């Protein structure tokens, strides 16, 4: 069994839905198809929730009407029989009726989670009805029946596995099993999600739980490129990545993969392949446990980073100082990305600045605190094992004309990271491509 996940652009128009349908009916063997919402839909649904939150219910209703209209047009183009079109129209009516009911209730976090879940519910039903219309045998199993999270927002693996073991045997004679990416139920049984881009995570979780042969992530580009194609021209696909390399790239900004998506696949040793829906014959990227020695693979950038420096004369020859610093971040549940220490101080970075003011307040007890906002982490990934000579020098050399605020190396065998000002991001990415590839 394979897991095949199609992202928003892959199902972004009636024609794309038809193309994906053709592709999935050509796959050999049994496949679980995980679909994202049509591109743009999750953003539109979030805009509706922002209007409700702001108390602008008229705007929320307007946005809802226009999204609903968009789907009526999709249905018009997608189906050739009235039976399928009527089924789809009924589904759309129910979904938008539900959204309107949420608009009329008092706003809570539930409003957001419920409304934002509708994108994947719609796309999967549209696909199922289309396959039915084409006379193809497929079944839709709701992700809300088996993707569960625990109190930390992590997948509740045991419950997921148990539920899948109950559900899947019921569909033994189906080779195409469709489900929603992104959406899940939290420990209270309420509708929730796996954060933006989370459909990749769904695919990897299912892949790990059913011990799939492979998890295929289909998107709009032919695999992981060696640099961010949104900022650098002439990037090229990397054909093989180690799980750790892929995880570092995803975490440090390569948008093609959801940051946490690699872990379940890695733990269960399920290979992940990144493929292009628009060019299915392209080789793409295979992510597995094999490391290609001696090469730098790719560069990625993570935005919106805040650097915090804590300077204290008490750090000199003292122990326990770092523990106190880390405790502040633990107290405010804020992960640290990069860290650099010296005899008199420590610099670290965070990307979630929700509790920045409180963090600064507490850190001031420990020393002088300085903050640099709008920074970017540039991450160079590859076989950066410390005994290899020259790789870090090449990366540093590429950035010789860019002011670097922090460097992190040696935390893993796979990366060297640089913290720079946001205004130098594109230049740094381009220089690294020029010097490394
Ligand atoms: P999907 O909607 O299929 O999940 P995403 O938009 O999440 O697709 O991810 C695909 C996009 O990721 C590409 O269109 C590309 O612009 C962007 N991207 C960023 N960095 C990379 C990279 N290193 N390699 C490939 N794509 C990248
Ligand atoms: N639809 C969700 C999003 O736009 C999840 C996904 O596409 O992976 O973030
Ligand atoms: Mg994505």
């Amino acid at each position: 069994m394979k897991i095949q996940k199609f992202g928003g652009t892959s199902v972004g128009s009636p024609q794309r839905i038809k193309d994906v349908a053709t592709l999935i009916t050509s796959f050999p063997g049994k496949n679980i198809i995980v679909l994202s919402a049509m591109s743009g839909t999750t953003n539109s649904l979030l805009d509706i929730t922002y209007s409700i939150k702001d108390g602008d219910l008229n705007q929320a209703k307007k946005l809802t009407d226009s999204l609903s209209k968009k789907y009526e047009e999709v249905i018009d183009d997608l189906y050739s029989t009235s039976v399928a079109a009527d089924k789809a129209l009924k589904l759309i009516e129910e979904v938008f009726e539900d959204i309107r009911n949420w608009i009329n209730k008092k706003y809570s976090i539930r409003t957001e989670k419920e409304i934002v879940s509708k994108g994947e519910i719609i796309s999967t039903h549209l696909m199922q009805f289309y396959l039915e219309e084409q006379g193809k045998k497929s079944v839709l199993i709701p992700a809300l029946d088996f993707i569960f999270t625990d109190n930390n927002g992590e997948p509740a693996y045991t419950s997921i596995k148990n539920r899948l073991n109950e559900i899947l045997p019921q569909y033994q004679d189906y080779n195409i099993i469709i489900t929603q990416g992104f959406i899940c139920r939290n420990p209270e049984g309420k509708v929730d999600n796996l954060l933006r881009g989370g459909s990749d995570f769904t695919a990897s979780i299912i892949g790990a739980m059913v011990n799939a042969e492979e998890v295929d992530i289909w998107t709009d580009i032919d695999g992981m490129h060696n640099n961010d194609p949104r900022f650098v021209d002439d990037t090229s696909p990397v054909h093989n990545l180690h799980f750790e390399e892929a995880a570092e790239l995803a975490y440090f900004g390569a948008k093609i993969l959801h940051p946490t998506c690699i872990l379940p696949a890695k733990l269960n040793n399920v290979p992940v392949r990144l493929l292009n829906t628009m060019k299915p014959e392209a080789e793409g990227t295979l992510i597995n446990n094999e490391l290609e020695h001696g090469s730098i693979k790719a560069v990625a950038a993570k935005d919106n980073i805040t650097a915090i420096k804590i300077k204290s004369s008490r750090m000199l020859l003292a122990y326990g100082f770092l523990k106190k610093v880390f405790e502040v971040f633990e107290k405010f549940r804020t992960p640290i990305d990069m860290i650099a220490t010296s005899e008199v101080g420590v610099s670290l970075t965070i990307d979630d600045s929700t509790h920045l003011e409180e963090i600064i307040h507490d850190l001031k007890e420990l020393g002088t605190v300085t903050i640099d906002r709008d920074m970017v982490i540039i991450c160079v990934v590859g076989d950066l094992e410390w005994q290899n000579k020259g790789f870090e020098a090449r990366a540093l050399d590429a950035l010789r004309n860019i002011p670097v605020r922090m460097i992190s190396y040696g935390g893993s065998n796979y990366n060297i990271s640089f913290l720079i000002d946001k205004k130098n991001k594109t230049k740094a990415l381009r220089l690294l491509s020029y010097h490394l590839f």
Side-chain angles (χ1 to χ4, degrees):
M1 174 146 56
K2 285 191 183 180
I3 315 303
Q4 313 270 357
K5 177 259 169 178
F6 292 87
T9 27
S10 300
V11 291
S13 69
Q15 189 54 47
R16 294 257 164 89
I17 295 178
K18 291 180 189 178
D19 294 344
V20 168
T22 308
L23 197 58
I24 61 186
T25 45
S26 75
F27 292 147
K30 206 176 177 80
N31 291 278
I32 298 185
I33 314 293
V34 176
L35 298 184
S36 290
M38 291 178 79
S39 53
T41 295
T42 306
N43 286 342
S44 303
L45 292 168
L46 277 171
D47 287 342
I48 296 171
T49 70
Y50 300 148
S51 297
I52 307 173
K53 199 172 176 185
D54 291 347
D56 193 347
L57 300 191
N58 279 336
Q59 176 67 0
K61 284 175 190 155
K62 248 199 228 158
L63 293 172
T64 306
D65 291 345
S66 93
L67 190 60
S68 151
K69 201 159 171 296
K70 190 192 125 184
Y71 275 104
E72 283 164 25
E73 287 162 15
V74 168
I75 290 170
D76 249 3
D77 288 349
L78 184 58
Y79 302 104
S80 48
T81 63
S82 57
V83 177
D86 287 350
K87 252 186 177 174
L89 281 171
K90 187 164 172 278
L91 180 267
I92 294 298
E93 238 169 65
E94 283 167 12
V95 165
F96 283 93
E97 176 68 27
D98 201 21
I99 295 178
R100 290 187 184 95
N101 285 338
W102 281 101
I103 295 176
N104 291 326
K105 284 185 209 163
K106 191 171 171 291
Y107 178 88
S108 77
I109 191 66
R110 298 263 55 76
T111 320
E112 182 188 314
K113 306 282 187 183
E114 286 278 351
I115 291 182
V116 90
S117 75
K118 303 298 183 192
E120 274 70 13
I121 292 180
I122 298 175
S123 64
T124 45
H125 279 88
L126 294 184
M127 179 63 80
Q128 171 65 18
F129 299 152
Y130 182 71
L131 289 169
E132 279 173 16
E133 186 182 58
Q134 298 300 305
K136 308 289 181 197
K137 190 171 175 182
S138 65
V139 63
L140 172 55
I141 58 168
L144 295 179
D145 285 354
F146 65 95
I147 299 287
F148 306 129
T149 49
D150 63 18
N151 285 323
N152 297 315
E154 298 289 332
Y157 287 110
T158 313
S159 320
I160 296 174
K161 195 170 193 157
N162 290 342
R163 271 304 279 151
L164 277 170
N165 284 339
E166 286 164 6
I167 295 170
L168 291 178
Q170 299 171 36
Y171 301 106
Q172 250 156 11
D173 9 316
Y174 287 82
N175 279 337
I176 302 175
I177 298 174
I178 299 172
T179 194
Q180 292 90 16
F182 180 58
I183 61 177
C184 61
R185 281 195 196 279
N186 66 20
E188 286 100 58
K190 303 278 195 250
V191 174
D192 210 326
N193 61 66
L194 302 170
L195 307 182
R196 295 307 306 269
S199 298
D200 300 341
F201 199 16
T202 307
S204 171
I205 295 167
I206 301 175
M209 293 303 95
V210 302
N211 211 1
E213 195 185 319
E214 193 170 288
V215 173
D216 290 350
I217 310 265
W218 293 86
T219 181
D220 57 357
I221 187 164
D222 47 353
M224 177 75 79
H225 277 220
N226 57 7
N227 207 326
D228 194 323
R230 295 167 298 177
F231 302 98
V232 180
D233 296 330
D234 300 325
T235 58
S236 49
V238 180
H239 295 307
N240 293 283
L241 281 174
H242 187 270
F243 280 124
E244 300 280 355
E245 293 174 327
E248 303 259 14
L249 285 167
Y251 185 70
F252 287 107
K255 189 191 170 229
I256 185 170
L257 268 188
H258 182 279
T260 49
C261 134
I262 287 301
L263 190 66
K266 182 186 144 205
L267 292 178
N268 293 274
N269 205 7
V270 179
V272 176
R273 203 184 284 274
L274 308 179
L275 291 158
N276 188 348
T277 319
M278 275 57 102
K279 224 167 103 192
E281 67 290 352
E283 181 180 342
T285 303
L286 176 64
I287 304 166
N288 58 18
N289 251 328
E290 277 161 44
L291 181 66
E292 243 176 88
H293 287 286
S295 65
I296 292 189
K297 292 296 185 58
V299 177
K302 188 172 181 180
D303 301 326
N304 297 321
I305 303 293
T306 304
I308 304 168
K309 184 192 279 176
I310 308 111
K311 243 177 107 179
S312 165
S313 51
R314 273 172 292 158
M315 187 174 164
L316 189 67
L317 301 177
Y319 51 84
F321 178 78
L322 284 178
K323 176 171 182 268
K324 287 185 194 130
V325 171
F326 288 147
E327 274 168 357
V328 174
F329 291 87
E330 192 188 341
K331 177 172 165 196
F332 296 105
R333 297 172 74 104
T334 302
I336 297 168
D337 284 327
M338 279 174 80
I339 174 153
T341 66
S342 83
E343 196 61 3
V344 288
V346 51
S347 269
L348 37 81
T349 70
I350 57 171
D351 75 339
D352 174 2
S353 42
T354 320
H355 298 291
L356 185 61
E357 293 316 314
E358 294 123 296
I359 289 172
I360 295 173
H361 173 268
D362 283 19
L363 288 175
K364 279 187 175 159
E365 304 277 310
L366 304 173
T368 320
V369 180
T370 0
I371 304 294
D372 292 296
R373 294 170 208 263
D374 285 332
M375 306 296 281
V376 169
I377 294 176
I378 303 283
C379 171
V380 177
V381 167
D383 178 19
L384 288 157
E385 214 255 328
W386 72 274
Q387 273 147 333
N388 293 342
K389 284 180 288 192
F391 285 146
E392 58 282 12
R394 279 169 62 203
L396 272 167
D397 191 40
L399 298 180
R400 94 180 79 103
N401 290 319
I402 298 215
V404 174
R405 163 76 177 77
M406 271 171 82
I407 298 176
S408 174
Y409 174 66
S412 88
N413 284 342
Y414 305 95
N415 109 26
I416 176 162
S417 306
F418 303 91
L419 186 71
I420 62 169
D421 195 299
K422 171 173 118 178
K423 66 173 191 272
N424 292 319
K425 167 180 164 175
T426 307
K427 191 173 162 198
L429 289 175
R430 289 180 183 161
L431 281 168
L432 283 164
S433 257
Y434 181 74
H435 285 266
L436 298 179
F437 308 123

